[in-house]
Each structure stands twice: as structure tokens, then as C-alpha cells.
Amino acid sequence: MTGAMCFSAKAILAKLMYREGAQALDVLALRMIFSLPFFIGLGWWARRTQPYRMTLRDYGMVFVVGSAGYYLASLFDFMGVAYISVGLERLILFLTPSIVLIMSRFVLKKPIDAKQWLAMGLAYAGIALVFWHEVGSGGSNIPLGSFLVFASAVSYASYLLMTGELVKRLGTLRLLFYAMLVSTFLSVTHYAIARDIHDLWAQHSVVYSYSMVNAVLCTVAPVVLTMLAVSRLGSSIVSQVSMVGPIATVGMGAIFLNEPITATQLAGTALVMVGIFLVGRVATQK
């Protein structure tokens, strides 16, 4: 539960950094740079406890999944959350399991149960409800922000779909280390091309404080806590407990960003959570 709440707070910190003059590339690059030392430590530990000689194909796959899972997914997310509420952002990202299911249907030819289609329809109806509510509240860039966050969810779903065999060979910690290494390289390179790299070190001191919190509490801690939870409870229970994330995000948005909590938003959130829960419930019963 703590891991889910910490991970959900990254959008809150991004919004707070935007108020200090930072942009999406600043948030992404600083998050990767500050979290990389921790993942280097985890990678070193994995190499000691699970020795494995990587092949050239492994390196190629790691680059692909690192690009999709942490660089593109994070970039699209931080760009999108600048235009929409953190509540809507978290709900869209919460659709990731359903996107994985749909991609599995068309890429891996895995059948989808009729009950799962209905459950996904319920979840997407909830997203539509919150989306139209925000559009009606006067947000002109809500469609753009929603599209960018949905692209983030698709990128991360692609990462999850591609990592199955890699995790078996490399192990979770080693894969995380290499994926974060790729993401950090791409994020800093993107920044150097799009902006003056010196701008990265000319931010307000508050931005660096938020970035450190983003790296430690919202990036490293959720990964470690989730792995510890899965080893003790199993992935099925952990996925259900993680459903606290959207509710926590709505609450934190109200506390730290003064974002209003409305009945429509709560209704949409309930639909999404019930829909995704039912998608997972049907999958585990097969």
C-alpha cells in the first residue's frame, strides 16, 4: 500500500515542480539522474547474487524495453500531467493492465473472455466520465493531456509485454538497473538536444528538493516495496492492494494542489477501479 501511494505521488511532485518554473524534460532528467545511483546499487547486488553473462541480443532487448518502459512512458506522463488533473492522470495509467490484455490479444493471439471485455468497458466508461467532466470544467488542453498520458500507459504496457523472458534470464533487479541506465542516457541526451544542458543545473533549489523526493520516494521506494510485497503476498494480492493508488492520488491532489474532489470524479474513479479489479479477477480464475 505504501509503495502504491509513493508511486502515485510522482504526478503531485511534477505539478509542484511546474509551479517553480520546471518543464517536463527537467522533471524527467532530474528524476533519472537522482534515482540512478540507487539502481546501480541494486544492479551491483543482483550481479553478485545472480551471476549471468548477457548476450548481444539481451543488450538489444534491454535497450528497447528501457526506451519504452521508463524513458517514453515517463516523458509522455510528465508532459501530459501538465494539462490534466493528477486524478485523471492516475486513472488513465491505471488502465495499463487492460492495455496489456488487449495487446496480448492482437500480438500474442491470446483470447479475451467476454467478462473481461465487459469489465474493460466499465473501466473505460469511468475514464470517459472523468474526462468529460474535466473538459466541461473549462480545460482546453484536456484532450491533449489525456492523449499523452494514455500514450504513456501504452508505452509501459509494451514494456510489460516484452519483459517476460528477460526477467526470467536477467532477474528483476538486473533488468531494472539496465532499463534505468538506458532511460537516464536517453533522458539526458534528449535534454542536451532540446535544451541547453546547463539549464538543468540552473533550476530553483526547491526543484532539486522535489526531484530528490521524486527519485527516492516515488521511483526507488515503490520498486523495492512492491518486490518485497510480491515475495510475501503474491502478485495477485499486491495488484489488488495497489488499487489504493487512484484514491490516494485524488486525496493528495486535493491536499497539495487544491484540486477539487467532485461526485463525478469519484463516480468515474469507482467505475475504473471496479472494472480493472474485475479484469484481474477473471484472469486469475481461468
Side-chain angles (χ1 to χ4, degrees), residues 23-60:
Q23 299 178 15
L25 281 180
D26 300 308
V27 177
L28 175 61
L30 290 172
R31 179 199 189 201
M32 294 295 105
I33 291 172
F34 287 157
S35 62
L36 185 61
F38 296 95
F39 283 102
I40 289 176
L42 293 175
W44 173 78
W45 175 261
R47 288 175 64 88
R48 285 190 56 193
T49 57
Q50 298 176 323
Y52 171 77
R53 184 178 296 275
M54 291 181 62
T55 66
L56 188 61
R57 184 175 181 275
D58 288 333
Y59 283 113

PDB file of all heavy atoms in Angstrom, residues 23-60:
ATOM      1  N   GLN A  23      10.049  22.311 -16.434  1.00  0.00           N
ATOM      2  CA  GLN A  23       9.283  21.740 -17.526  1.00  0.00           C
ATOM      3  C   GLN A  23       9.415  20.216 -17.499  1.00  0.00           C
ATOM      4  O   GLN A  23      10.176  19.664 -16.697  1.00  0.00           O
ATOM      5  CB  GLN A  23       9.778  22.302 -18.866  1.00  0.00           C
ATOM      6  CG  GLN A  23       9.623  23.818 -18.990  1.00  0.00           C
ATOM      7  CD  GLN A  23      10.157  24.350 -20.291  1.00  0.00           C
ATOM      8  OE1 GLN A  23      10.399  23.606 -21.247  1.00  0.00           O
ATOM      9  NE2 GLN A  23      10.355  25.660 -20.354  1.00  0.00           N
ATOM     10  N   ALA A  24       8.673  19.553 -18.380  1.00  0.00           N
ATOM     11  CA  ALA A  24       8.641  18.089 -18.362  1.00  0.00           C
ATOM     12  C   ALA A  24      10.030  17.481 -18.505  1.00  0.00           C
ATOM     13  O   ALA A  24      10.368  16.509 -17.814  1.00  0.00           O
ATOM     14  CB  ALA A  24       7.721  17.579 -19.471  1.00  0.00           C
ATOM     15  N   LEU A  25      10.866  18.041 -19.393  1.00  0.00           N
ATOM     16  CA  LEU A  25      12.212  17.499 -19.585  1.00  0.00           C
ATOM     17  C   LEU A  25      13.067  17.663 -18.330  1.00  0.00           C
ATOM     18  O   LEU A  25      13.900  16.808 -18.021  1.00  0.00           O
ATOM     19  CB  LEU A  25      12.891  18.175 -20.776  1.00  0.00           C
ATOM     20  CG  LEU A  25      12.481  17.691 -22.168  1.00  0.00           C
ATOM     21  CD1 LEU A  25      13.237  18.470 -23.244  1.00  0.00           C
ATOM     22  CD2 LEU A  25      12.729  16.195 -22.333  1.00  0.00           C
ATOM     23  N   ASP A  26      12.871  18.766 -17.609  1.00  0.00           N
ATOM     24  CA  ASP A  26      13.596  18.970 -16.349  1.00  0.00           C
ATOM     25  C   ASP A  26      13.209  17.892 -15.344  1.00  0.00           C
ATOM     26  O   ASP A  26      14.069  17.279 -14.694  1.00  0.00           O
ATOM     27  CB  ASP A  26      13.280  20.355 -15.763  1.00  0.00           C
ATOM     28  CG  ASP A  26      13.667  21.487 -16.683  1.00  0.00           C
ATOM     29  OD1 ASP A  26      14.825  21.504 -17.132  1.00  0.00           O
ATOM     30  OD2 ASP A  26      12.813  22.342 -16.956  1.00  0.00           O
ATOM     31  N   VAL A  27      11.902  17.681 -15.185  1.00  0.00           N
ATOM     32  CA  VAL A  27      11.398  16.698 -14.228  1.00  0.00           C
ATOM     33  C   VAL A  27      11.918  15.303 -14.561  1.00  0.00           C
ATOM     34  O   VAL A  27      12.388  14.568 -13.678  1.00  0.00           O
ATOM     35  CB  VAL A  27       9.853  16.700 -14.213  1.00  0.00           C
ATOM     36  CG1 VAL A  27       9.325  15.618 -13.270  1.00  0.00           C
ATOM     37  CG2 VAL A  27       9.323  18.066 -13.800  1.00  0.00           C
ATOM     38  N   LEU A  28      11.870  14.946 -15.841  1.00  0.00           N
ATOM     39  CA  LEU A  28      12.298  13.609 -16.262  1.00  0.00           C
ATOM     40  C   LEU A  28      13.794  13.407 -16.050  1.00  0.00           C
ATOM     41  O   LEU A  28      14.212  12.403 -15.447  1.00  0.00           O
ATOM     42  CB  LEU A  28      11.945  13.398 -17.734  1.00  0.00           C
ATOM     43  CG  LEU A  28      12.428  12.086 -18.367  1.00  0.00           C
ATOM     44  CD1 LEU A  28      11.825  10.895 -17.648  1.00  0.00           C
ATOM     45  CD2 LEU A  28      12.077  12.056 -19.853  1.00  0.00           C
ATOM     46  N   ALA A  29      14.606  14.343 -16.547  1.00  0.00           N
ATOM     47  CA  ALA A  29      16.058  14.185 -16.460  1.00  0.00           C
ATOM     48  C   ALA A  29      16.534  14.155 -15.011  1.00  0.00           C
ATOM     49  O   ALA A  29      17.353  13.305 -14.635  1.00  0.00           O
ATOM     50  CB  ALA A  29      16.752  15.309 -17.226  1.00  0.00           C
ATOM     51  N   LEU A  30      16.020  15.050 -14.183  1.00  0.00           N
ATOM     52  CA  LEU A  30      16.441  15.083 -12.781  1.00  0.00           C
ATOM     53  C   LEU A  30      15.991  13.828 -12.032  1.00  0.00           C
ATOM     54  O   LEU A  30      16.717  13.308 -11.175  1.00  0.00           O
ATOM     55  CB  LEU A  30      15.891  16.337 -12.098  1.00  0.00           C
ATOM     56  CG  LEU A  30      16.524  17.660 -12.548  1.00  0.00           C
ATOM     57  CD1 LEU A  30      15.780  18.848 -11.959  1.00  0.00           C
ATOM     58  CD2 LEU A  30      18.001  17.715 -12.153  1.00  0.00           C
ATOM     59  N   ARG A  31      14.795  13.349 -12.353  1.00  0.00           N
ATOM     60  CA  ARG A  31      14.320  12.110 -11.716  1.00  0.00           C
ATOM     61  C   ARG A  31      15.248  10.948 -12.040  1.00  0.00           C
ATOM     62  O   ARG A  31      15.628  10.170 -11.153  1.00  0.00           O
ATOM     63  CB  ARG A  31      12.902  11.797 -12.209  1.00  0.00           C
ATOM     64  CG  ARG A  31      12.321  10.517 -11.636  1.00  0.00           C
ATOM     65  CD  ARG A  31      11.161  10.027 -12.476  1.00  0.00           C
ATOM     66  NE  ARG A  31      10.444   8.933 -11.841  1.00  0.00           N
ATOM     67  CZ  ARG A  31       9.671   8.065 -12.500  1.00  0.00           C
ATOM     68  NH1 ARG A  31       9.502   8.197 -13.798  1.00  0.00           N
ATOM     69  NH2 ARG A  31       9.040   7.109 -11.862  1.00  0.00           N
ATOM     70  N   MET A  32      15.644  10.814 -13.309  1.00  0.00           N
ATOM     71  CA  MET A  32      16.503   9.720 -13.717  1.00  0.00           C
ATOM     72  C   MET A  32      17.897   9.848 -13.093  1.00  0.00           C
ATOM     73  O   MET A  32      18.462   8.870 -12.595  1.00  0.00           O
ATOM     74  CB  MET A  32      16.627   9.692 -15.249  1.00  0.00           C
ATOM     75  CG  MET A  32      15.344   9.362 -15.995  1.00  0.00           C
ATOM     76  SD  MET A  32      14.749   7.684 -15.667  1.00  0.00           S
ATOM     77  CE  MET A  32      13.388   8.023 -14.568  1.00  0.00           C
ATOM     78  N   ILE A  33      18.457  11.055 -13.119  1.00  0.00           N
ATOM     79  CA  ILE A  33      19.805  11.265 -12.595  1.00  0.00           C
ATOM     80  C   ILE A  33      19.871  10.968 -11.100  1.00  0.00           C
ATOM     81  O   ILE A  33      20.793  10.297 -10.618  1.00  0.00           O
ATOM     82  CB  ILE A  33      20.267  12.713 -12.880  1.00  0.00           C
ATOM     83  CG1 ILE A  33      20.496  12.904 -14.391  1.00  0.00           C
ATOM     84  CG2 ILE A  33      21.549  13.038 -12.114  1.00  0.00           C
ATOM     85  CD1 ILE A  33      20.754  14.335 -14.799  1.00  0.00           C
ATOM     86  N   PHE A  34      18.884  11.459 -10.343  1.00  0.00           N
ATOM     87  CA  PHE A  34      18.912  11.278  -8.894  1.00  0.00           C
ATOM     88  C   PHE A  34      18.596   9.845  -8.460  1.00  0.00           C
ATOM     89  O   PHE A  34      19.041   9.400  -7.391  1.00  0.00           O
ATOM     90  CB  PHE A  34      17.932  12.240  -8.214  1.00  0.00           C
ATOM     91  CG  PHE A  34      18.398  13.662  -8.202  1.00  0.00           C
ATOM     92  CD1 PHE A  34      17.500  14.711  -8.074  1.00  0.00           C
ATOM     93  CD2 PHE A  34      19.738  13.969  -8.316  1.00  0.00           C
ATOM     94  CE1 PHE A  34      17.924  16.035  -8.061  1.00  0.00           C
ATOM     95  CE2 PHE A  34      20.190  15.293  -8.309  1.00  0.00           C
ATOM     96  CZ  PHE A  34      19.287  16.318  -8.171  1.00  0.00           C
ATOM     97  N   SER A  35      17.838   9.118  -9.263  1.00  0.00           N
ATOM     98  CA  SER A  35      17.489   7.745  -8.878  1.00  0.00           C
ATOM     99  C   SER A  35      18.511   6.720  -9.372  1.00  0.00           C
ATOM    100  O   SER A  35      18.577   5.610  -8.837  1.00  0.00           O
ATOM    101  CB  SER A  35      16.097   7.381  -9.412  1.00  0.00           C
ATOM    102  OG  SER A  35      16.068   7.426 -10.825  1.00  0.00           O
ATOM    103  N   LEU A  36      19.315   7.097 -10.370  1.00  0.00           N
ATOM    104  CA  LEU A  36      20.261   6.138 -10.959  1.00  0.00           C
ATOM    105  C   LEU A  36      21.228   5.532  -9.952  1.00  0.00           C
ATOM    106  O   LEU A  36      21.458   4.314  -9.985  1.00  0.00           O
ATOM    107  CB  LEU A  36      21.032   6.801 -12.102  1.00  0.00           C
ATOM    108  CG  LEU A  36      21.979   5.876 -12.880  1.00  0.00           C
ATOM    109  CD1 LEU A  36      21.196   4.740 -13.534  1.00  0.00           C
ATOM    110  CD2 LEU A  36      22.760   6.663 -13.939  1.00  0.00           C
ATOM    111  N   PRO A  37      21.841   6.312  -9.031  1.00  0.00           N
ATOM    112  CA  PRO A  37      22.779   5.688  -8.069  1.00  0.00           C
ATOM    113  C   PRO A  37      22.147   4.561  -7.255  1.00  0.00           C
ATOM    114  O   PRO A  37      22.815   3.555  -6.962  1.00  0.00           O
ATOM    115  CB  PRO A  37      23.181   6.865  -7.167  1.00  0.00           C
ATOM    116  CG  PRO A  37      22.990   8.078  -8.020  1.00  0.00           C
ATOM    117  CD  PRO A  37      21.799   7.774  -8.875  1.00  0.00           C
ATOM    118  N   PHE A  38      20.884   4.717  -6.905  1.00  0.00           N
ATOM    119  CA  PHE A  38      20.213   3.671  -6.129  1.00  0.00           C
ATOM    120  C   PHE A  38      20.046   2.402  -6.963  1.00  0.00           C
ATOM    121  O   PHE A  38      20.234   1.286  -6.456  1.00  0.00           O
ATOM    122  CB  PHE A  38      18.851   4.165  -5.649  1.00  0.00           C
ATOM    123  CG  PHE A  38      18.926   5.329  -4.702  1.00  0.00           C
ATOM    124  CD1 PHE A  38      18.808   6.628  -5.164  1.00  0.00           C
ATOM    125  CD2 PHE A  38      19.126   5.132  -3.347  1.00  0.00           C
ATOM    126  CE1 PHE A  38      18.879   7.709  -4.296  1.00  0.00           C
ATOM    127  CE2 PHE A  38      19.196   6.191  -2.462  1.00  0.00           C
ATOM    128  CZ  PHE A  38      19.077   7.493  -2.946  1.00  0.00           C
ATOM    129  N   PHE A  39      19.701   2.572  -8.244  1.00  0.00           N
ATOM    130  CA  PHE A  39      19.521   1.401  -9.098  1.00  0.00           C
ATOM    131  C   PHE A  39      20.863   0.764  -9.460  1.00  0.00           C
ATOM    132  O   PHE A  39      20.926  -0.442  -9.712  1.00  0.00           O
ATOM    133  CB  PHE A  39      18.736   1.779 -10.354  1.00  0.00           C
ATOM    134  CG  PHE A  39      17.266   1.940 -10.107  1.00  0.00           C
ATOM    135  CD1 PHE A  39      16.695   3.196  -9.980  1.00  0.00           C
ATOM    136  CD2 PHE A  39      16.446   0.831  -9.969  1.00  0.00           C
ATOM    137  CE1 PHE A  39      15.339   3.347  -9.725  1.00  0.00           C
ATOM    138  CE2 PHE A  39      15.093   0.963  -9.716  1.00  0.00           C
ATOM    139  CZ  PHE A  39      14.539   2.226  -9.597  1.00  0.00           C
ATOM    140  N   ILE A  40      21.940   1.571  -9.479  1.00  0.00           N
ATOM    141  CA  ILE A  40      23.272   0.998  -9.676  1.00  0.00           C
ATOM    142  C   ILE A  40      23.595   0.062  -8.510  1.00  0.00           C
ATOM    143  O   ILE A  40      24.140  -1.032  -8.695  1.00  0.00           O
ATOM    144  CB  ILE A  40      24.339   2.108  -9.801  1.00  0.00           C
ATOM    145  CG1 ILE A  40      24.174   2.837 -11.145  1.00  0.00           C
ATOM    146  CG2 ILE A  40      25.748   1.525  -9.681  1.00  0.00           C
ATOM    147  CD1 ILE A  40      25.120   4.006 -11.321  1.00  0.00           C
ATOM    148  N   GLY A  41      23.236   0.503  -7.301  1.00  0.00           N
ATOM    149  CA  GLY A  41      23.437  -0.346  -6.133  1.00  0.00           C
ATOM    150  C   GLY A  41      22.643  -1.632  -6.216  1.00  0.00           C
ATOM    151  O   GLY A  41      23.150  -2.715  -5.905  1.00  0.00           O
ATOM    152  N   LEU A  42      21.382  -1.528  -6.654  1.00  0.00           N
ATOM    153  CA  LEU A  42      20.557  -2.732  -6.800  1.00  0.00           C
ATOM    154  C   LEU A  42      21.112  -3.642  -7.891  1.00  0.00           C
ATOM    155  O   LEU A  42      21.102  -4.873  -7.759  1.00  0.00           O
ATOM    156  CB  LEU A  42      19.114  -2.324  -7.134  1.00  0.00           C
ATOM    157  CG  LEU A  42      18.330  -1.594  -6.036  1.00  0.00           C
ATOM    158  CD1 LEU A  42      16.969  -1.156  -6.560  1.00  0.00           C
ATOM    159  CD2 LEU A  42      18.165  -2.484  -4.812  1.00  0.00           C
ATOM    160  N   GLY A  43      21.606  -3.040  -8.979  1.00  0.00           N
ATOM    161  CA  GLY A  43      22.191  -3.827 -10.059  1.00  0.00           C
ATOM    162  C   GLY A  43      23.456  -4.538  -9.625  1.00  0.00           C
ATOM    163  O   GLY A  43      23.691  -5.706  -9.978  1.00  0.00           O
ATOM    164  N   TRP A  44      24.287  -3.855  -8.826  1.00  0.00           N
ATOM    165  CA  TRP A  44      25.510  -4.476  -8.308  1.00  0.00           C
ATOM    166  C   TRP A  44      25.160  -5.665  -7.409  1.00  0.00           C
ATOM    167  O   TRP A  44      25.809  -6.708  -7.471  1.00  0.00           O
ATOM    168  CB  TRP A  44      26.302  -3.424  -7.530  1.00  0.00           C
ATOM    169  CG  TRP A  44      27.493  -3.969  -6.814  1.00  0.00           C
ATOM    170  CD1 TRP A  44      28.714  -4.291  -7.342  1.00  0.00           C
ATOM    171  CD2 TRP A  44      27.572  -4.288  -5.412  1.00  0.00           C
ATOM    172  NE1 TRP A  44      29.550  -4.786  -6.372  1.00  0.00           N
ATOM    173  CE2 TRP A  44      28.877  -4.792  -5.165  1.00  0.00           C
ATOM    174  CE3 TRP A  44      26.675  -4.184  -4.346  1.00  0.00           C
ATOM    175  CZ2 TRP A  44      29.293  -5.191  -3.902  1.00  0.00           C
ATOM    176  CZ3 TRP A  44      27.094  -4.583  -3.082  1.00  0.00           C
ATOM    177  CH2 TRP A  44      28.378  -5.071  -2.870  1.00  0.00           C
ATOM    178  N   TRP A  45      24.129  -5.473  -6.581  1.00  0.00           N
ATOM    179  CA  TRP A  45      23.692  -6.566  -5.707  1.00  0.00           C
ATOM    180  C   TRP A  45      23.192  -7.762  -6.520  1.00  0.00           C
ATOM    181  O   TRP A  45      23.493  -8.915  -6.199  1.00  0.00           O
ATOM    182  CB  TRP A  45      22.593  -6.064  -4.776  1.00  0.00           C
ATOM    183  CG  TRP A  45      21.991  -7.132  -3.911  1.00  0.00           C
ATOM    184  CD1 TRP A  45      20.820  -7.811  -4.128  1.00  0.00           C
ATOM    185  CD2 TRP A  45      22.548  -7.673  -2.708  1.00  0.00           C
ATOM    186  NE1 TRP A  45      20.613  -8.731  -3.134  1.00  0.00           N
ATOM    187  CE2 TRP A  45      21.661  -8.666  -2.241  1.00  0.00           C
ATOM    188  CE3 TRP A  45      23.701  -7.409  -1.977  1.00  0.00           C
ATOM    189  CZ2 TRP A  45      21.891  -9.390  -1.087  1.00  0.00           C
ATOM    190  CZ3 TRP A  45      23.930  -8.143  -0.818  1.00  0.00           C
ATOM    191  CH2 TRP A  45      23.031  -9.108  -0.389  1.00  0.00           C
ATOM    192  N   ALA A  46      22.447  -7.476  -7.589  1.00  0.00           N
ATOM    193  CA  ALA A  46      21.920  -8.547  -8.435  1.00  0.00           C
ATOM    194  C   ALA A  46      23.052  -9.306  -9.120  1.00  0.00           C
ATOM    195  O   ALA A  46      23.001 -10.531  -9.257  1.00  0.00           O
ATOM    196  CB  ALA A  46      20.964  -7.964  -9.479  1.00  0.00           C
ATOM    197  N   ARG A  47      24.090  -8.590  -9.572  1.00  0.00           N
ATOM    198  CA  ARG A  47      25.220  -9.255 -10.240  1.00  0.00           C
ATOM    199  C   ARG A  47      25.959 -10.183  -9.271  1.00  0.00           C
ATOM    200  O   ARG A  47      26.484 -11.224  -9.670  1.00  0.00           O
ATOM    201  CB  ARG A  47      26.187  -8.213 -10.806  1.00  0.00           C
ATOM    202  CG  ARG A  47      25.655  -7.477 -12.018  1.00  0.00           C
ATOM    203  CD  ARG A  47      26.610  -6.372 -12.442  1.00  0.00           C
ATOM    204  NE  ARG A  47      27.880  -6.937 -12.871  1.00  0.00           N
ATOM    205  CZ  ARG A  47      28.152  -7.325 -14.112  1.00  0.00           C
ATOM    206  NH1 ARG A  47      27.222  -7.213 -15.051  1.00  0.00           N
ATOM    207  NH2 ARG A  47      29.332  -7.811 -14.426  1.00  0.00           N
ATOM    208  N   ARG A  48      25.992  -9.819  -7.993  1.00  0.00           N
ATOM    209  CA  ARG A  48      26.674 -10.648  -7.001  1.00  0.00           C
ATOM    210  C   ARG A  48      25.862 -11.898  -6.659  1.00  0.00           C
ATOM    211  O   ARG A  48      26.412 -12.992  -6.513  1.00  0.00           O
ATOM    212  CB  ARG A  48      26.910  -9.849  -5.722  1.00  0.00           C
ATOM    213  CG  ARG A  48      28.027  -8.841  -5.800  1.00  0.00           C
ATOM    214  CD  ARG A  48      28.329  -8.293  -4.432  1.00  0.00           C
ATOM    215  NE  ARG A  48      28.655  -9.377  -3.497  1.00  0.00           N
ATOM    216  CZ  ARG A  48      28.723  -9.228  -2.173  1.00  0.00           C
ATOM    217  NH1 ARG A  48      28.453  -8.050  -1.636  1.00  0.00           N
ATOM    218  NH2 ARG A  48      29.022 -10.240  -1.390  1.00  0.00           N
ATOM    219  N   THR A  49      24.552 -11.701  -6.528  1.00  0.00           N
ATOM    220  CA  THR A  49      23.704 -12.804  -6.063  1.00  0.00           C
ATOM    221  C   THR A  49      23.174 -13.675  -7.198  1.00  0.00           C
ATOM    222  O   THR A  49      22.834 -14.833  -6.986  1.00  0.00           O
ATOM    223  CB  THR A  49      22.516 -12.256  -5.258  1.00  0.00           C
ATOM    224  OG1 THR A  49      21.778 -11.320  -6.065  1.00  0.00           O
ATOM    225  CG2 THR A  49      23.006 -11.549  -4.003  1.00  0.00           C
ATOM    226  N   GLN A  50      23.080 -13.105  -8.419  1.00  0.00           N
ATOM    227  CA  GLN A  50      22.552 -13.852  -9.566  1.00  0.00           C
ATOM    228  C   GLN A  50      23.449 -13.643 -10.780  1.00  0.00           C
ATOM    229  O   GLN A  50      23.093 -12.903 -11.712  1.00  0.00           O
ATOM    230  CB  GLN A  50      21.119 -13.400  -9.892  1.00  0.00           C
ATOM    231  CG  GLN A  50      20.118 -13.657  -8.766  1.00  0.00           C
ATOM    232  CD  GLN A  50      18.748 -13.105  -9.106  1.00  0.00           C
ATOM    233  OE1 GLN A  50      18.602 -12.055  -9.726  1.00  0.00           O
ATOM    234  NE2 GLN A  50      17.711 -13.802  -8.684  1.00  0.00           N
ATOM    235  N   PRO A  51      24.627 -14.229 -10.797  1.00  0.00           N
ATOM    236  CA  PRO A  51      25.549 -14.033 -11.926  1.00  0.00           C
ATOM    237  C   PRO A  51      24.952 -14.543 -13.235  1.00  0.00           C
ATOM    238  O   PRO A  51      24.344 -15.618 -13.276  1.00  0.00           O
ATOM    239  CB  PRO A  51      26.789 -14.836 -11.516  1.00  0.00           C
ATOM    240  CG  PRO A  51      26.289 -15.837 -10.521  1.00  0.00           C
ATOM    241  CD  PRO A  51      25.173 -15.160  -9.785  1.00  0.00           C
ATOM    242  N   TYR A  52      25.116 -13.742 -14.283  1.00  0.00           N
ATOM    243  CA  TYR A  52      24.581 -14.130 -15.596  1.00  0.00           C
ATOM    244  C   TYR A  52      25.352 -13.358 -16.663  1.00  0.00           C
ATOM    245  O   TYR A  52      25.520 -12.138 -16.541  1.00  0.00           O
ATOM    246  CB  TYR A  52      23.083 -13.814 -15.684  1.00  0.00           C
ATOM    247  CG  TYR A  52      22.496 -13.982 -17.067  1.00  0.00           C
ATOM    248  CD1 TYR A  52      22.214 -15.243 -17.570  1.00  0.00           C
ATOM    249  CD2 TYR A  52      22.245 -12.878 -17.876  1.00  0.00           C
ATOM    250  CE1 TYR A  52      21.682 -15.407 -18.841  1.00  0.00           C
ATOM    251  CE2 TYR A  52      21.705 -13.025 -19.142  1.00  0.00           C
ATOM    252  CZ  TYR A  52      21.429 -14.296 -19.624  1.00  0.00           C
ATOM    253  OH  TYR A  52      20.909 -14.445 -20.879  1.00  0.00           O
ATOM    254  N   ARG A  53      25.817 -14.028 -17.693  1.00  0.00           N
ATOM    255  CA  ARG A  53      26.532 -13.380 -18.780  1.00  0.00           C
ATOM    256  C   ARG A  53      25.535 -12.988 -19.878  1.00  0.00           C
ATOM    257  O   ARG A  53      24.948 -13.850 -20.521  1.00  0.00           O
ATOM    258  CB  ARG A  53      27.612 -14.313 -19.345  1.00  0.00           C
ATOM    259  CG  ARG A  53      28.462 -13.651 -20.440  1.00  0.00           C
ATOM    260  CD  ARG A  53      29.532 -14.609 -20.922  1.00  0.00           C
ATOM    261  NE  ARG A  53      30.468 -14.929 -19.861  1.00  0.00           N
ATOM    262  CZ  ARG A  53      31.527 -14.169 -19.557  1.00  0.00           C
ATOM    263  NH1 ARG A  53      31.751 -13.047 -20.224  1.00  0.00           N
ATOM    264  NH2 ARG A  53      32.335 -14.521 -18.573  1.00  0.00           N
ATOM    265  N   MET A  54      25.350 -11.693 -20.074  1.00  0.00           N
ATOM    266  CA  MET A  54      24.374 -11.213 -21.043  1.00  0.00           C
ATOM    267  C   MET A  54      24.891 -11.356 -22.470  1.00  0.00           C
ATOM    268  O   MET A  54      26.085 -11.193 -22.736  1.00  0.00           O
ATOM    269  CB  MET A  54      24.027  -9.735 -20.765  1.00  0.00           C
ATOM    270  CG  MET A  54      23.239  -9.533 -19.493  1.00  0.00           C
ATOM    271  SD  MET A  54      22.824  -7.788 -19.190  1.00  0.00           S
ATOM    272  CE  MET A  54      21.793  -7.416 -20.627  1.00  0.00           C
ATOM    273  N   THR A  55      23.979 -11.664 -23.371  1.00  0.00           N
ATOM    274  CA  THR A  55      24.309 -11.778 -24.790  1.00  0.00           C
ATOM    275  C   THR A  55      24.033 -10.450 -25.490  1.00  0.00           C
ATOM    276  O   THR A  55      23.425  -9.533 -24.919  1.00  0.00           O
ATOM    277  CB  THR A  55      23.470 -12.880 -25.448  1.00  0.00           C
ATOM    278  OG1 THR A  55      22.076 -12.476 -25.423  1.00  0.00           O
ATOM    279  CG2 THR A  55      23.622 -14.207 -24.702  1.00  0.00           C
ATOM    280  N   LEU A  56      24.473 -10.348 -26.739  1.00  0.00           N
ATOM    281  CA  LEU A  56      24.236  -9.139 -27.528  1.00  0.00           C
ATOM    282  C   LEU A  56      22.743  -8.915 -27.717  1.00  0.00           C
ATOM    283  O   LEU A  56      22.261  -7.769 -27.686  1.00  0.00           O
ATOM    284  CB  LEU A  56      24.930  -9.255 -28.892  1.00  0.00           C
ATOM    285  CG  LEU A  56      24.933  -7.997 -29.765  1.00  0.00           C
ATOM    286  CD1 LEU A  56      25.676  -6.862 -29.057  1.00  0.00           C
ATOM    287  CD2 LEU A  56      25.570  -8.293 -31.121  1.00  0.00           C
ATOM    288  N   ARG A  57      21.988 -10.001 -27.882  1.00  0.00           N
ATOM    289  CA  ARG A  57      20.527  -9.895 -28.023  1.00  0.00           C
ATOM    290  C   ARG A  57      19.900  -9.361 -26.738  1.00  0.00           C
ATOM    291  O   ARG A  57      18.962  -8.577 -26.777  1.00  0.00           O
ATOM    292  CB  ARG A  57      19.931 -11.259 -28.376  1.00  0.00           C
ATOM    293  CG  ARG A  57      18.429 -11.226 -28.627  1.00  0.00           C
ATOM    294  CD  ARG A  57      17.927 -12.592 -29.102  1.00  0.00           C
ATOM    295  NE  ARG A  57      16.498 -12.557 -29.369  1.00  0.00           N
ATOM    296  CZ  ARG A  57      15.571 -12.727 -28.446  1.00  0.00           C
ATOM    297  NH1 ARG A  57      15.907 -12.949 -27.186  1.00  0.00           N
ATOM    298  NH2 ARG A  57      14.291 -12.687 -28.770  1.00  0.00           N
ATOM    299  N   ASP A  58      20.427  -9.804 -25.605  1.00  0.00           N
ATOM    300  CA  ASP A  58      19.925  -9.301 -24.319  1.00  0.00           C
ATOM    301  C   ASP A  58      20.094  -7.789 -24.227  1.00  0.00           C
ATOM    302  O   ASP A  58      19.179  -7.075 -23.813  1.00  0.00           O
ATOM    303  CB  ASP A  58      20.661  -9.973 -23.153  1.00  0.00           C
ATOM    304  CG  ASP A  58      20.277 -11.427 -22.967  1.00  0.00           C
ATOM    305  OD1 ASP A  58      19.156 -11.795 -23.344  1.00  0.00           O
ATOM    306  OD2 ASP A  58      21.109 -12.191 -22.441  1.00  0.00           O
ATOM    307  N   TYR A  59      21.278  -7.304 -24.610  1.00  0.00           N
ATOM    308  CA  TYR A  59      21.530  -5.864 -24.557  1.00  0.00           C
ATOM    309  C   TYR A  59      20.584  -5.102 -25.475  1.00  0.00           C
ATOM    310  O   TYR A  59      20.094  -4.024 -25.135  1.00  0.00           O
ATOM    311  CB  TYR A  59      22.982  -5.563 -24.937  1.00  0.00           C
ATOM    312  CG  TYR A  59      23.978  -5.858 -23.834  1.00  0.00           C
ATOM    313  CD1 TYR A  59      24.919  -6.881 -23.975  1.00  0.00           C
ATOM    314  CD2 TYR A  59      23.975  -5.107 -22.663  1.00  0.00           C
ATOM    315  CE1 TYR A  59      25.830  -7.154 -22.966  1.00  0.00           C
ATOM    316  CE2 TYR A  59      24.885  -5.378 -21.646  1.00  0.00           C
ATOM    317  CZ  TYR A  59      25.807  -6.398 -21.810  1.00  0.00           C
ATOM    318  OH  TYR A  59      26.709  -6.658 -20.800  1.00  0.00           O
ATOM    319  N   GLY A  60      20.332  -5.677 -26.649  1.00  0.00           N
ATOM    320  CA  GLY A  60      19.416  -5.033 -27.591  1.00  0.00           C
ATOM    321  C   GLY A  60      17.998  -4.957 -27.031  1.00  0.00           C
ATOM    322  O   GLY A  60      17.341  -3.915 -27.124  1.00  0.00           O
TER     323      GLY A  60
END
